[in-house]
Amino acid sequence: MNKTILNIKNLKKFFFHQNEKVEVLKNLNFSIKKGDLIALTGPSGSGKSTLLHLIALMEKPSSGKIFFLEKNTNDINENEINKIRKFNISLIFQNNNLISDLNVIENVMLPLLIRQENYKKSYEKSKKILSLVNLSKRLKFYPSDLSGGEQQRVAIARSLIAETDLILADEPTGNLDYQTSKEIFNYFIKLKKMKKTILFATHNRELANKADYKLSISNGNIKRINGKK
Ligand SMILES: Nc1ncnc2c1ncn2[C@@H]1O[C@H](COP(=O)(O)OP(=O)(O)OP(=O)(O)O)[C@@H](O)[C@H]1O
Ligand SMILES: [Mg+2]
């Protein structure tokens, strides 16, 4: 049986907006196994991005616990969090978050350079992964000279290159055409075969149905909807 990579216990997240409490995630309990490919669904504003940011350890829960590989992430210090974010978890943001002063290939290489991997090898690996997302002709372009979909593909390449255990993707195919979306999804399947775990938020019903199962958020609660397995 596959190991549990993520275990969520009584997770709550609320915000205060103009003195009013906005309860986004009410009391989530679920776990994810290594090698699962999961679609995170739910209406706009239901809390998908919020949940991904919590799992990526970019934000703290209001209460509750997130266990990553059996480690309670509430109990670990900033150093350990940075280490996990460098080596174990990557997030493809809904709004790309590319660095505007770096060109395409530099943006993609970044996670490897931060880990102090060899420059030349990182460059070659970036080139390869950029050809996979059909961007070989844009290596030296800056983000501002790319279309929205191209920027998104750079962000996907940057996240995939790190080959972390857990890949979180926030509407990774939101700006992409049908064919490119399918190619990205096929790459997710390839990563799954490498025992990577992928949790992707999406409004695309067809892609969501291709996942192993869906986690659907509504009214602050999460529900598992079994798919093809
Ligand atoms: N910092 C914040 N302060 C107050 N409210 C917030 C904050 N961040 C998010 N919210 C609220 O939390 C709710 C969930 O937002 P979130 O971005 O997680 O939704 P989503 O499911 O990702 O939506 P979409 O499909 O549109 O991307 C929204 O109603 C939003 O207004
Ligand atoms: Mg969102």
Side-chain angles (χ1 to χ4, degrees):
M1 211 163 79
N2 279 345
K3 203 159 131 180
T4 298
I5 187 164
L6 197 70
N7 195 1
I8 308 265
K9 291 263 180 233
N10 305 318
L11 183 70
K12 294 183 190 168
K13 181 71 181 177
F14 42 81
F15 298 102
F16 282 93
H17 187 69
Q18 294 173 349
N19 286 332
E20 213 180 294
K21 188 170 165 188
V22 184
E23 254 188 313
V24 181
L25 304 174
K26 282 182 187 153
N27 189 20
L28 307 191
N29 286 285
F30 64 95
S31 64
I32 288 179
K33 294 218 180 306
K34 212 169 165 200
D36 279 351
L37 173 55
I38 307 148
L40 182 61
T41 61
S44 173
S46 58
K48 301 180 297 296
S49 297
T50 304
L51 178 62
L52 291 176
H53 294 171
L54 290 169
I55 297 173
L57 310 181
M58 293 170 47
E59 275 187 57
K60 299 246 183 271
S62 303
S63 68
K65 291 174 186 155
I66 298 174
F67 293 88
F68 179 71
L69 289 172
E70 294 178 353
K71 224 184 228 177
N72 182 348
T73 57
N74 285 345
D75 293 343
I76 61 182
N77 62 31
E78 210 51 41
N79 253 349
E80 282 177 284
I81 288 180
N82 286 337
K83 222 160 118 195
I84 291 178
R85 298 205 45 226
K86 255 191 230 170
F87 292 96
N88 305 107
I89 301 179
S90 54
L91 171 66
I92 303 169
F93 290 91
Q94 190 161 14
N95 54 6
N96 298 327
N97 269 28
L98 297 177
I99 296 179
S100 58
D101 293 343
L102 298 180
N103 67 27
V104 165
I105 194 146
E106 290 164 342
N107 262 287
V108 174
M109 287 167 75
L110 203 60
L112 301 185
L113 298 182
I114 288 172
R115 298 197 309 216
Q116 301 184 332
E117 292 188 20
N118 177 281
Y119 188 92
K120 197 156 179 283
K121 274 192 197 150
S122 304
Y123 191 93
E124 291 308 319
K125 199 169 173 194
S126 307
K127 242 166 85 173
K128 223 189 232 168
I129 212 147
L130 280 162
S131 81
L132 192 125
V133 293
N134 296 325
L135 282 174
S136 294
K137 295 199 173 120
R138 296 285 184 273
L139 301 187
K140 298 287 162 68
F141 279 54
Y142 285 86
S144 57
D145 298 328
L146 299 173
S147 74
E150 285 171 340
Q151 289 178 24
Q152 203 159 8
R153 280 183 277 151
V154 177
I156 290 168
R158 182 182 59 183
S159 161
L160 298 182
I161 201 168
E163 292 180 347
T164 52
D165 311 307
L166 178 61
I167 296 152
L168 307 168
D170 202 349
E171 293 188 43
T173 60
N175 285 325
L176 302 181
D177 57 275
Y178 182 74
Q179 190 54 32
T180 315
S181 304
K182 251 179 35 189
E183 279 164 25
I184 299 295
F185 189 81
N186 287 340
Y187 195 69
F188 284 169
I189 292 176
K190 219 161 116 188
L191 290 166
K192 174 183 164 62
K193 287 189 181 138
M194 291 159 66
K195 284 275 170 219
K196 306 289 181 192
T197 310
I198 301 124
L199 175 62
F200 67 101
T202 188
H203 287 290
N204 181 325
R205 202 170 286 205
E206 191 187 328
L207 287 190
N209 286 336
K210 284 189 186 164
D212 295 337
Y213 62 90
K214 286 180 264 191
L215 285 172
S216 172
I217 306 186
S218 78
N219 300 321
N221 297 307
I222 203 160
K223 194 168 71 191
R224 178 174 165 148
I225 302 169
N226 281 333
K228 58 186 170 65
K229 266 212 285 211

